[in-house]
Amino acid sequence: MKNKRSPSGFSILFFLAFLVALFLLFTPFEESGTRATMLPKYLAAGVAMVAMSPLVFLGKIRMKLPSLLVATLLFTLVFHVVVVKPVPPQFVLLIAANLALAIAIFEARFSYRREFEAALACLIGINVLTLTIQVILYYFVTHSIYDVHQLVFGTESRVTEEYFNIARFAGLHVEPGTYTNYVSCMLAIYAFSAEFSKKRIVLAVGTIISVLMTHAASSIFFVSVLLLLLGWLWRKRIGLLEIVIALSVVVFYIYASNFIDHLMTRFGGHDPSLSFKMQGINTYLDAGVEEKFTGFGYGADPCIGCHYQDIGVILNLVSRGGIIVTLPLALILLRIFALHGLILATFIVLIPAYCIMYFYEAPIWIFLLFAISSRQMLDKRVQPGARSTVPGAIAPAGMVAHH
């Protein structure tokens, strides 16, 4: 792939490379049936590595401090799964590939910022549009949920038309909760990377509404955190009118969609998602000191049928990896607070603390890489005289500029 650019300095080929890699990493799909395997995850990582390789080689990448911190954590993870509590070799490769991809995408963004942000915005838009069409078809045309995930990936999604008196939508994803986790993570990354503009506010509000429309229980959490995060980042750039409109739309939808009654019914009884989370947390709390020190290991869940990833990425890393993985993770978390201060850092840490992803998933590490970068680093142009910023755009506010 040659480094050819249009007169405007935008490479369609590099945009497509980012889009393919981000689509595969932010749209987890899986095999169905009793013999389901991890093969789709291995294929997704492999294809994403092929797509990113030209950008890595042509971008003259030099590892920055955030990447070095995540690479240190990757080293401790590999040490734990190879030496302390071994797992199958192919799983070690999957862990290494996903974290390496996160670093590669983050570093390539500095050489190809416009392409990265365009690809990310395009993928967010595709997700929002797909879920919106699914909702419109259900309420106004078919009165049944059209399974977009099955159309694209060939396996049925876990959506339902009557789940505690409400329909649940997932768009391209396998289930509503997956949509809320991955699309919210995309929007958070976009907020850190992209400069402020009115168009981006519209995209952000549309994304937040789409997260609500999934009717996943986790959507309330992510909508709240995203509103706080975006509000703080752009607090000096958005006016009172934009804030009132955004909050009015969110509040109106929550009450008009029967979502409150759904949540009260769901959590007033036996909710499986909540029980899995509590079971996982209790398993860790009940473990002995030695087991907490060395960690449960990353090969299998420490509790039967508890879906241990539901306890969040941070607790997964700490409980499974023990002190070996906790130390480099603590450095990452401390840097977040040192860079951004108590308020913004709290909003940031809430995402990996709650996010229901596997501990090795690239999306959460891409987010953390941006979260441990200073505003000066994110605004820096690697190639002198490279592409100009969007006309009339304003850099996000609310971050400490030092470090």
Side-chain angles (χ1 to χ4, degrees):
M1 184 184 293
K2 294 183 179 180
N3 189 10
K4 292 183 177 180
R5 293 184 177 276
S6 65
S8 64
F10 185 88
S11 170
I12 297 296
L13 291 178
F14 292 157
F15 160 77
L16 291 175
F18 273 122
L19 185 61
V20 168
L22 292 171
F23 174 80
L24 291 170
L25 297 173
F26 282 84
T27 317
F29 51 97
E30 56 192 48
E31 291 183 327
S32 60
T34 56
R35 296 185 178 181
T37 69
M38 294 279 286
L39 181 61
K41 290 186 179 294
Y42 291 106
L43 290 175
V47 175
M49 291 177 73
V50 172
M52 286 302 302
S53 57
L55 284 79
V56 172
F57 289 121
L58 295 175
K60 299 179 180 179
I61 288 175
R62 288 176 292 181
M63 295 275 282
K64 301 169 188 63
L65 179 58
S67 298
L68 292 174
L69 288 173
V70 172
T72 301
L73 188 139
L74 170 58
F75 175 80
T76 61
L77 268 175
V78 171
F79 179 81
H80 195 281
V81 298
V82 171
V83 178
V84 181
K85 294 194 175 180
V87 301
Q90 66 271 20
F91 191 36
V92 179
L93 291 176
L94 182 64
I95 295 170
N98 272 273
L99 269 72
L101 275 168
I103 295 172
I105 290 171
F106 171 75
E107 292 289 348
R109 175 262 185 196
F110 290 94
S111 295
Y112 309 103
R113 178 172 177 172
R114 289 182 63 193
E115 289 84 354
F116 169 79
E117 290 173 3
L120 193 59
C122 183
L123 186 56
I124 293 173
I126 289 171
N127 275 274
V128 173
L129 180 62
T130 303
L131 187 130
T132 302
I133 291 173
Q134 194 178 47
V135 172
I136 291 173
L137 287 175
Y138 174 78
Y139 285 110
F140 300 105
V141 182
T142 62
H143 303 294
S144 62
I145 298 177
Y146 185 76
D147 197 339
V148 182
H149 184 273
Q150 184 178 28
L151 175 67
V152 176
F153 298 112
T155 60
E156 292 183 358
S157 66
R158 293 189 288 272
V159 296
T160 179
E161 295 165 10
E162 192 64 30
Y163 188 76
F164 289 100
N165 303 318
I166 205 165
R168 285 158 50 88
F169 305 95
L172 282 170
H173 292 262
V174 69
E175 64 180 15
T178 308
Y179 182 100
T180 64
N181 278 262
Y182 286 84
V183 174
S184 297
C185 194
M186 272 194 283
L187 180 59
I189 293 168
Y190 192 62
F192 275 100
S193 179
E195 296 171 333
F196 177 88
S197 71
K198 298 295 183 181
K199 290 181 180 179
R200 293 187 174 104
I201 280 288
V202 173
L203 179 63
V205 173
T207 305
I208 288 171
I209 295 300
S210 77
V211 169
L212 273 177
M213 288 194 298
T214 63
H215 299 144
S218 58
S219 66
I220 294 295
F221 169 83
F222 282 107
V223 165
S224 301
V225 171
L226 287 172
L227 287 173
L228 292 169
L229 180 65
L230 295 174
W232 186 263
L233 285 174
W234 295 339
R235 67 188 186 280
K236 296 180 180 178
R237 309 301 181 185
I238 56 178
L240 180 61
L241 180 61
E242 287 92 342
I243 296 174
V244 171
I245 291 174
L247 289 176
S248 299
V249 171
V250 170
V251 172
F252 173 78
Y253 181 83
I254 289 175
Y255 281 94
S257 63
N258 196 38
F259 197 21
I260 294 295
D261 291 339
H262 160 72
L263 291 176
M264 292 178 66
T265 303
R266 181 174 175 180
F267 291 106
H270 178 73
D271 180 72
S273 298
L274 183 61
S275 64
F276 288 147
K277 187 180 293 289
M278 295 308 301
Q279 184 181 354
I281 292 173
N282 289 331
T283 298
Y284 175 65
L285 294 176
D286 293 339
V289 175
E290 183 179 348
E291 195 168 25
K292 287 178 180 176
F293 185 83
T294 59
F296 292 132
Y298 294 95
D301 288 346
C303 44
I304 299 174
C306 65
H307 299 272
Y308 197 67
Q309 76 273 10
D310 284 12
I311 67 174
V313 173
I314 290 179
L315 192 51
N316 250 287
L317 287 167
V318 171
S319 63
R320 290 177 181 272
I323 192 66
I324 293 175
V325 178
T326 299
L327 289 176
L329 178 63
L331 292 177
I332 291 173
L333 298 179
L334 287 173
R335 178 169 170 81
I336 293 174
F337 281 92
L339 273 176
H340 304 303
L342 180 61
I343 296 176
L344 180 56
T346 300
F347 301 156
I348 292 170
V349 172
L350 282 173
I351 293 178
Y354 182 88
C355 201
I356 302 174
M357 290 185 191
Y358 290 103
F359 62 91
Y360 57 84
E361 296 277 11
I364 197 64
W365 292 107
I366 298 173
F367 169 71
L368 286 171
L369 282 162
F370 278 92
I372 56 179
S373 302
S374 67
R375 186 72 264 163
Q376 288 176 328
M377 181 185 296
L378 293 177
D379 286 344
K380 183 179 178 181
R381 301 295 189 273
V382 173
Q383 298 175 351
R387 302 156 305 282
S388 61
T389 57
V390 179
I394 306 171
M399 290 188 177
V400 181
H402 59 280
H403 296 273

Coordinates of all heavy atoms in Angstrom, one line a residue, residues 299-365:
G299 N -7.3 -18.2 32.8 CA -7.8 -19.3 31.9 C -9.2 -19.7 32.0 O -9.9 -20.1 31.1
A300 N -9.8 -19.5 33.2 CA -11.2 -19.9 33.5 C -11.8 -19.0 34.5 O -11.1 -18.5 35.4 CB -11.3 -21.4 33.9
D301 N -13.1 -18.9 34.5 CA -13.8 -18.1 35.5 C -13.7 -18.8 36.9 O -13.8 -20.0 37.0 CB -15.3 -18.0 35.2 CG -15.5 -17.0 34.0 OD1 -14.6 -16.3 33.6 OD2 -16.7 -17.1 33.4
P302 N -13.5 -18.0 38.0 CA -13.4 -18.6 39.3 C -14.7 -19.1 39.9 O -14.7 -19.7 41.0 CB -12.8 -17.5 40.1 CG -13.3 -16.2 39.4 CD -13.3 -16.6 38.0
C303 N -15.8 -18.8 39.2 CA -17.1 -19.2 39.7 C -17.9 -19.8 38.5 O -17.8 -19.4 37.4 CB -17.9 -18.1 40.3 SG -17.9 -16.5 39.4
I304 N -18.7 -20.8 38.8 CA -19.4 -21.6 37.7 C -20.6 -20.8 37.2 O -21.4 -20.4 38.0 CB -19.8 -23.0 38.2 CG1 -18.6 -23.8 38.7 CG2 -20.6 -23.7 37.2 CD1 -19.0 -25.1 39.4
G305 N -20.6 -20.6 35.9 CA -21.7 -19.9 35.2 C -22.0 -18.5 35.7 O -23.1 -18.0 35.6
C306 N -20.9 -17.8 36.1 CA -21.2 -16.4 36.7 C -20.8 -15.3 35.7 O -21.0 -14.1 36.0 CB -20.3 -16.2 37.9 SG -18.6 -16.3 37.7
H307 N -20.4 -15.7 34.5 CA -20.0 -14.6 33.5 C -19.1 -13.6 34.1 O -19.5 -12.4 34.3 CB -21.3 -14.0 32.9 CG -22.2 -14.9 32.2 ND1 -22.0 -15.2 30.9 CD2 -23.2 -15.7 32.6 CE1 -22.9 -16.1 30.5 NE2 -23.7 -16.4 31.6
Y308 N -17.9 -14.0 34.5 CA -17.1 -13.2 35.4 C -16.7 -11.9 34.8 O -16.4 -10.9 35.5 CB -15.8 -14.0 35.8 CG -15.1 -13.5 37.0 CD1 -15.6 -13.6 38.2 CD2 -13.8 -12.9 36.8 CE1 -15.0 -13.1 39.4 CE2 -13.1 -12.4 38.0 CZ -13.7 -12.5 39.2 OH -13.1 -12.1 40.3
Q309 N -16.7 -11.7 33.5 CA -16.4 -10.5 32.9 C -17.4 -9.4 33.2 O -17.1 -8.2 33.1 CB -16.2 -10.6 31.3 CG -17.6 -10.6 30.6 CD -18.1 -12.0 30.5 OE1 -17.6 -12.9 31.1 NE2 -19.1 -12.2 29.6
D310 N -18.5 -9.8 33.8 CA -19.6 -8.8 34.1 C -19.1 -7.9 35.3 O -19.8 -6.9 35.5 CB -20.9 -9.5 34.5 CG -21.6 -10.0 33.3 OD1 -21.0 -10.0 32.2 OD2 -22.8 -10.4 33.4
I311 N -18.1 -8.3 36.0 CA -17.7 -7.4 37.2 C -16.9 -6.2 36.7 O -16.5 -5.4 37.5 CB -16.9 -8.3 38.2 CG1 -15.5 -8.7 37.6 CG2 -17.7 -9.5 38.7 CD1 -14.6 -9.4 38.6
G312 N -16.6 -6.1 35.4 CA -15.8 -4.9 34.9 C -14.4 -5.3 34.7 O -13.8 -6.2 35.2
V313 N -13.8 -4.5 33.8 CA -12.4 -4.7 33.3 C -11.4 -4.6 34.5 O -10.5 -5.4 34.6 CB -12.0 -3.8 32.2 CG1 -10.6 -4.0 31.8 CG2 -12.9 -4.1 31.0
I314 N -11.5 -3.5 35.3 CA -10.5 -3.3 36.3 C -10.5 -4.4 37.3 O -9.4 -4.9 37.7 CB -10.8 -1.9 37.0 CG1 -10.4 -0.8 36.1 CG2 -9.9 -1.8 38.3 CD1 -10.7 0.6 36.6
L315 N -11.6 -4.8 37.9 CA -11.7 -5.9 38.9 C -11.3 -7.2 38.3 O -10.7 -8.0 38.9 CB -13.0 -5.9 39.5 CG -13.2 -6.8 40.8 CD1 -12.1 -6.5 41.8 CD2 -14.5 -6.7 41.4
N316 N -11.6 -7.4 37.0 CA -11.1 -8.6 36.3 C -9.6 -8.7 36.3 O -9.0 -9.7 36.6 CB -11.6 -8.6 34.9 CG -12.7 -9.7 34.6 OD1 -12.4 -10.8 34.6 ND2 -13.9 -9.2 34.5
L317 N -8.9 -7.6 35.9 CA -7.5 -7.6 35.9 C -6.9 -7.8 37.3 O -5.9 -8.6 37.4 CB -7.0 -6.2 35.3 CG -7.2 -6.0 33.8 CD1 -7.0 -4.6 33.4 CD2 -6.3 -6.9 33.0
V318 N -7.4 -7.1 38.3 CA -6.9 -7.2 39.6 C -7.1 -8.6 40.2 O -6.2 -9.2 40.8 CB -7.5 -6.1 40.5 CG1 -7.1 -6.4 42.0 CG2 -7.1 -4.7 40.1
S319 N -8.3 -9.1 40.1 CA -8.6 -10.4 40.7 C -8.0 -11.6 40.0 O -7.6 -12.6 40.6 CB -10.2 -10.6 40.8 OG -10.7 -10.7 39.5
R320 N -7.9 -11.5 38.7 CA -7.3 -12.6 38.0 C -5.7 -12.6 38.0 O -5.1 -13.6 38.0 CB -7.8 -12.6 36.5 CG -9.2 -12.9 36.3 CD -9.6 -12.8 34.9 NE -11.0 -13.1 34.6 CZ -11.5 -14.3 34.3 NH1 -10.7 -15.4 34.3 NH2 -12.7 -14.5 34.0
G321 N -5.2 -11.3 38.0 CA -3.7 -11.2 37.8 C -3.0 -11.0 39.1 O -1.7 -11.0 39.1
G322 N -3.7 -10.7 40.2 CA -3.0 -10.5 41.5 C -2.1 -9.3 41.5 O -2.3 -8.3 40.7
I323 N -1.1 -9.3 42.3 CA -0.2 -8.1 42.5 C 0.6 -7.8 41.3 O 0.9 -6.7 41.0 CB 0.7 -8.3 43.7 CG1 1.4 -7.0 44.1 CG2 1.7 -9.5 43.5 CD1 0.5 -5.9 44.6
I324 N 0.9 -8.9 40.5 CA 1.8 -8.7 39.3 C 1.1 -7.8 38.3 O 1.8 -6.9 37.7 CB 2.1 -10.1 38.7 CG1 2.9 -10.9 39.6 CG2 2.8 -9.9 37.3 CD1 3.2 -12.3 39.1
V325 N -0.2 -7.9 38.1 CA -0.9 -7.1 37.1 C -1.4 -5.8 37.7 O -1.5 -4.8 37.1 CB -2.0 -7.9 36.4 CG1 -2.8 -7.0 35.5 CG2 -1.5 -9.1 35.7
T326 N -1.7 -5.9 39.0 CA -2.2 -4.7 39.7 C -1.3 -3.5 39.7 O -1.7 -2.4 39.6 CB -2.6 -5.1 41.2 OG1 -3.6 -6.1 41.1 CG2 -3.2 -3.9 41.9
L327 N 0.0 -3.8 39.9 CA 1.0 -2.7 40.0 C 1.1 -1.8 38.7 O 1.0 -0.6 38.8 CB 2.4 -3.3 40.3 CG 2.6 -3.8 41.7 CD1 4.0 -4.4 41.9 CD2 2.3 -2.7 42.8
P328 N 1.2 -2.4 37.5 CA 1.2 -1.5 36.3 C -0.1 -0.9 36.1 O -0.2 0.2 35.5 CB 1.6 -2.5 35.2 CG 1.3 -3.9 35.7 CD 1.6 -3.8 37.2
L329 N -1.2 -1.6 36.4 CA -2.5 -1.0 36.3 C -2.7 0.2 37.2 O -3.3 1.2 36.8 CB -3.6 -2.1 36.6 CG -5.1 -1.6 36.6 CD1 -5.4 -1.1 35.2 CD2 -6.0 -2.7 37.1
A330 N -2.1 0.1 38.4 CA -2.2 1.2 39.4 C -1.4 2.4 38.8 O -1.9 3.6 39.0 CB -1.6 0.8 40.7
L331 N -0.3 2.2 38.1 CA 0.4 3.3 37.5 C -0.5 4.0 36.4 O -0.5 5.2 36.3 CB 1.7 2.8 36.8 CG 2.8 2.3 37.8 CD1 4.0 1.8 37.0 CD2 3.2 3.4 38.7
I332 N -1.2 3.2 35.7 CA -2.1 3.8 34.6 C -3.2 4.6 35.3 O -3.5 5.8 34.9 CB -2.7 2.7 33.8 CG1 -1.6 2.0 32.9 CG2 -3.9 3.2 32.9 CD1 -2.1 0.8 32.2
L333 N -3.8 4.1 36.4 CA -4.9 4.8 37.0 C -4.3 6.1 37.7 O -5.0 7.1 37.7 CB -5.6 3.9 38.1 CG -6.2 2.7 37.5 CD1 -6.8 1.8 38.6 CD2 -7.3 3.0 36.5
L334 N -3.2 6.0 38.3 CA -2.6 7.2 39.0 C -2.3 8.2 38.0 O -2.4 9.4 38.2 CB -1.3 6.8 39.7 CG -1.5 6.0 41.0 CD1 -0.1 5.5 41.6 CD2 -2.2 6.8 42.1
R335 N -1.8 7.9 36.8 CA -1.5 8.9 35.7 C -2.8 9.6 35.3 O -2.8 10.8 35.0 CB -0.9 8.2 34.5 CG -0.6 9.2 33.4 CD 0.3 8.7 32.3 NE 0.3 9.5 31.2 CZ 1.1 10.6 31.1 NH1 1.9 11.0 32.1 NH2 1.1 11.4 30.0
I336 N -3.9 8.8 35.2 CA -5.2 9.5 34.9 C -5.5 10.6 35.9 O -5.9 11.7 35.5 CB -6.3 8.4 34.8 CG1 -6.1 7.4 33.7 CG2 -7.7 9.1 34.7 CD1 -7.1 6.3 33.6
F337 N -5.4 10.3 37.2 CA -5.7 11.3 38.2 C -4.7 12.4 38.2 O -5.1 13.6 38.4 CB -5.8 10.6 39.6 CG -7.1 9.9 39.8 CD1 -7.2 8.6 39.5 CD2 -8.2 10.6 40.3 CE1 -8.4 7.9 39.7 CE2 -9.4 9.9 40.6 CZ -9.5 8.6 40.3
A338 N -3.4 12.1 37.9 CA -2.4 13.2 37.9 C -2.6 14.1 36.7 O -2.4 15.3 36.8 CB -1.0 12.5 37.8
L339 N -3.1 13.6 35.5 CA -3.3 14.4 34.3 C -4.6 15.2 34.4 O -4.5 16.4 34.0 CB -3.4 13.4 33.1 CG -2.1 13.0 32.4 CD1 -2.4 12.1 31.3 CD2 -1.4 14.3 31.8
H340 N -5.6 14.6 34.9 CA -6.9 15.2 34.6 C -7.6 15.8 35.9 O -8.7 16.4 35.8 CB -7.9 14.2 34.0 CG -7.3 13.7 32.7 ND1 -7.0 14.4 31.6 CD2 -7.1 12.4 32.3 CE1 -6.5 13.7 30.7 NE2 -6.5 12.4 31.1
G341 N -7.1 15.5 37.1 CA -7.7 16.0 38.3 C -8.8 15.0 38.7 O -9.2 14.1 38.0
L342 N -9.3 15.3 39.9 CA -10.2 14.3 40.6 C -11.5 14.1 39.8 O -12.0 13.0 39.6 CB -10.5 14.8 42.0 CG -11.5 13.9 42.8 CD1 -10.9 12.5 43.0 CD2 -11.8 14.5 44.2
I343 N -12.2 15.2 39.4 CA -13.5 15.1 38.8 C -13.5 14.4 37.4 O -14.1 13.4 37.2 CB -14.1 16.5 38.6 CG1 -14.3 17.2 39.9 CG2 -15.4 16.4 37.8 CD1 -14.8 18.6 39.9
L344 N -12.7 14.9 36.5 CA -12.6 14.2 35.2 C -12.1 12.8 35.3 O -12.5 11.9 34.6 CB -11.7 15.1 34.2 CG -11.6 14.5 32.8 CD1 -12.9 14.3 32.1 CD2 -10.7 15.4 32.0
A345 N -11.0 12.6 36.1 CA -10.5 11.3 36.3 C -11.5 10.3 36.8 O -11.5 9.1 36.4 CB -9.3 11.3 37.2
T346 N -12.4 10.7 37.7 CA -13.4 9.8 38.2 C -14.4 9.4 37.1 O -14.7 8.2 37.0 CB -14.2 10.5 39.3 OG1 -13.3 10.9 40.4 CG2 -15.3 9.6 39.9
F347 N -14.8 10.3 36.2 CA -15.6 10.0 35.1 C -14.9 9.0 34.2 O -15.5 8.0 33.7 CB -16.0 11.2 34.3 CG -16.7 12.3 35.0 CD1 -16.6 13.6 34.6 CD2 -17.4 12.0 36.2 CE1 -17.3 14.6 35.3 CE2 -18.1 13.0 36.9 CZ -18.0 14.3 36.5
I348 N -13.6 9.2 34.0 CA -12.8 8.3 33.1 C -12.8 6.9 33.7 O -13.0 5.9 33.0 CB -11.4 8.9 32.9 CG1 -11.5 10.2 32.1 CG2 -10.5 7.8 32.2 CD1 -10.2 10.9 32.0
V349 N -12.4 6.8 34.9 CA -12.2 5.5 35.6 C -13.5 4.7 35.7 O -13.5 3.4 35.7 CB -11.5 5.6 36.9 CG1 -11.4 4.3 37.7 CG2 -10.1 6.2 36.8
L350 N -14.6 5.4 35.8 CA -15.9 4.6 35.9 C -16.1 3.7 34.6 O -16.8 2.7 34.8 CB -17.0 5.7 36.0 CG -17.3 6.3 37.3 CD1 -18.3 7.4 37.2 CD2 -17.7 5.3 38.4
I351 N -15.6 4.1 33.5 CA -15.8 3.3 32.3 C -15.2 2.0 32.3 O -15.8 0.9 32.2 CB -15.4 4.1 31.0 CG1 -16.4 5.3 30.9 CG2 -15.5 3.3 29.8 CD1 -16.1 6.2 29.7
P352 N -13.8 1.9 32.5 CA -13.2 0.5 32.7 C -13.7 -0.2 33.9 O -13.6 -1.4 34.0 CB -11.7 0.8 32.7 CG -11.6 2.2 33.1 CD -12.8 2.9 32.6
A353 N -14.1 0.6 35.0 CA -14.5 -0.1 36.2 C -15.8 -0.9 36.0 O -16.0 -1.9 36.6 CB -14.7 0.9 37.3
Y354 N -16.7 -0.3 35.1 CA -18.0 -0.9 34.9 C -18.1 -1.7 33.7 O -18.9 -2.7 33.6 CB -19.1 0.2 34.9 CG -20.5 -0.4 34.8 CD1 -21.2 -0.8 35.9 CD2 -21.1 -0.5 33.5 CE1 -22.5 -1.3 35.8 CE2 -22.4 -1.1 33.4 CZ -23.1 -1.4 34.5 OH -24.4 -1.9 34.4
C355 N -17.3 -1.3 32.7 CA -17.4 -1.9 31.3 C -17.4 -3.4 31.3 O -16.5 -4.0 31.8 CB -16.3 -1.3 30.4 SG -16.7 -1.4 28.7
I356 N -18.4 -4.0 30.6 CA -18.5 -5.4 30.6 C -17.9 -5.9 29.3 O -18.5 -6.1 28.2 CB -20.0 -5.9 30.6 CG1 -20.6 -5.4 31.9 CG2 -20.1 -7.4 30.6 CD1 -22.1 -5.7 32.0
M357 N -16.6 -6.0 29.3 CA -15.8 -6.5 28.2 C -14.8 -7.5 28.8 O -14.5 -7.5 30.0 CB -15.0 -5.4 27.5 CG -15.8 -4.4 26.7 SD -14.7 -3.3 25.8 CE -15.9 -2.0 25.3
Y358 N -14.3 -8.4 27.9 CA -13.2 -9.2 28.4 C -11.9 -8.3 28.6 O -11.7 -7.3 28.0 CB -12.8 -10.3 27.3 CG -13.9 -11.3 27.2 CD1 -14.8 -11.3 26.1 CD2 -14.0 -12.3 28.2 CE1 -15.8 -12.3 26.0 CE2 -15.0 -13.3 28.1 CZ -15.9 -13.3 27.0 OH -16.9 -14.2 26.9
F359 N -11.1 -8.7 29.6 CA -10.0 -7.9 30.1 C -9.0 -7.5 29.0 O -8.3 -6.6 29.1 CB -9.3 -8.6 31.2 CG -8.7 -9.9 30.8 CD1 -7.4 -10.0 30.3 CD2 -9.4 -11.1 30.9 CE1 -6.8 -11.2 29.9 CE2 -8.9 -12.3 30.5 CZ -7.5 -12.3 30.0
Y360 N -9.0 -8.3 27.9 CA -8.0 -8.1 26.8 C -8.6 -7.4 25.6 O -7.8 -7.1 24.7 CB -7.4 -9.5 26.4 CG -8.5 -10.4 25.9 CD1 -9.0 -10.3 24.5 CD2 -9.1 -11.4 26.7 CE1 -10.0 -11.2 24.1 CE2 -10.0 -12.2 26.2 CZ -10.5 -12.1 24.9 OH -11.5 -13.0 24.5
E361 N -9.8 -7.0 25.6 CA -10.5 -6.4 24.5 C -9.8 -5.1 24.1 O -9.6 -4.2 25.0 CB -11.9 -6.2 24.7 CG -12.7 -7.4 24.9 CD -13.2 -8.1 23.6 OE1 -12.7 -7.7 22.6 OE2 -14.0 -9.0 23.7
A362 N -9.4 -4.9 22.8 CA -8.7 -3.7 22.4 C -9.5 -2.4 22.6 O -8.8 -1.4 23.0 CB -8.4 -3.9 20.9
P363 N -10.8 -2.4 22.5 CA -11.5 -1.1 22.7 C -11.2 -0.4 24.0 O -11.0 0.8 24.0 CB -13.0 -1.4 22.5 CG -13.0 -2.6 21.6 CD -11.7 -3.4 21.9
I364 N -11.3 -1.1 25.1 CA -11.1 -0.5 26.4 C -9.6 0.0 26.5 O -9.4 1.0 27.2 CB -11.5 -1.5 27.5 CG1 -11.7 -0.7 28.8 CG2 -10.4 -2.6 27.7 CD1 -12.8 0.3 28.8
W365 N -8.7 -0.7 25.9 CA -7.3 -0.3 26.0 C -7.0 0.9 25.1 O -6.2 1.8 25.4 CB -6.4 -1.4 25.6 CG -6.4 -2.5 26.7 CD1 -7.0 -3.7 26.6 CD2 -5.9 -2.4 28.0 NE1 -6.9 -4.4 27.8 CE2 -6.3 -3.6 28.7 CE3 -5.2 -1.4 28.7 CZ2 -5.9 -3.8 30.1 CZ3 -4.9 -1.6 30.1 CH2 -5.2 -2.8 30.7

